Amino acid sequence: QVQLVESGGGLVQPGGSLTLSCTASGSVFAIGAMGWYRQVPGTQRELVATIAVDCSTNYADSVKGRFTVSRDTYKTTVSLHMNSLKSEETADYYCNDQNIYSGKDYWGQGTQVTVSL
């Protein structure tokens, strides 16, 4: 079992920056690729960024050049630094782990990001 807890959400003005963090606990040895997703109520959850165990990254086209995903040496903390935020990026942001041993996806409870004047 892996537990994921997101933090860092809040209110930010358009064009501003915000950093989200996700901390994993439990069976951390089984943590695989991790990622950030976001979801607006009434819409499908969409990929924002992923980071593999070797720290290779992948980003949605809409956030390339603005967002940076990283993880610590122990692979238990994943961060998402968001620059030049747009109002349409207001959403609940979720941390995800593709667990190596169980093959299951684990999700955090989410953290709300509001981009508004």
Side-chain angles (χ1 to χ4, degrees):
Q1 289 284 99
V2 175
Q3 294 80 45
L4 305 173
V5 179
E6 303 97 336
S7 63
L11 175 65
V12 62
Q13 294 182 339
S17 300
L18 199 65
T19 299
L20 307 180
S21 294
C22 172
T23 300
S25 61
S27 300
V28 295
F29 58 87
I31 294 175
M34 300 187 71
W36 286 96
Y37 294 73
R38 62 190 176 194
Q39 185 172 26
V40 176
T43 69
Q44 294 183 340
R45 190 170 297 183
E46 66 175 359
L47 169 71
V48 177
T50 61
I51 184 165
V53 292
D54 66 355
C55 293
S56 61
T57 57
N58 184 264
Y59 297 91
D61 289 340
S62 62
V63 307
K64 287 182 179 178
R66 297 188 297 115
F67 289 12
T68 302
V69 64
S70 62
R71 67 196 305 174
D72 68 359
T73 303
Y74 304 102
K75 310 295 191 294
T76 56
T77 300
V78 178
S79 297
L80 181 69
H81 182 64
M82 304 181 289
N83 287 321
S84 302
L85 281 160
K86 305 172 182 179
S87 60
E88 57 264 37
E89 293 174 316
T90 293
D92 291 327
Y93 284 70
Y94 296 88
C95 180
N96 163 263
D97 165 51
Q98 297 178 2
N99 196 265
I100 295 174
Y101 295 160
S102 70
K104 297 180 179 179
D105 284 337
Y106 292 91
W107 297 90
Q109 294 297 307
T111 185
Q112 184 176 207
V113 173
T114 302
V115 185
S116 176
L117 293 172

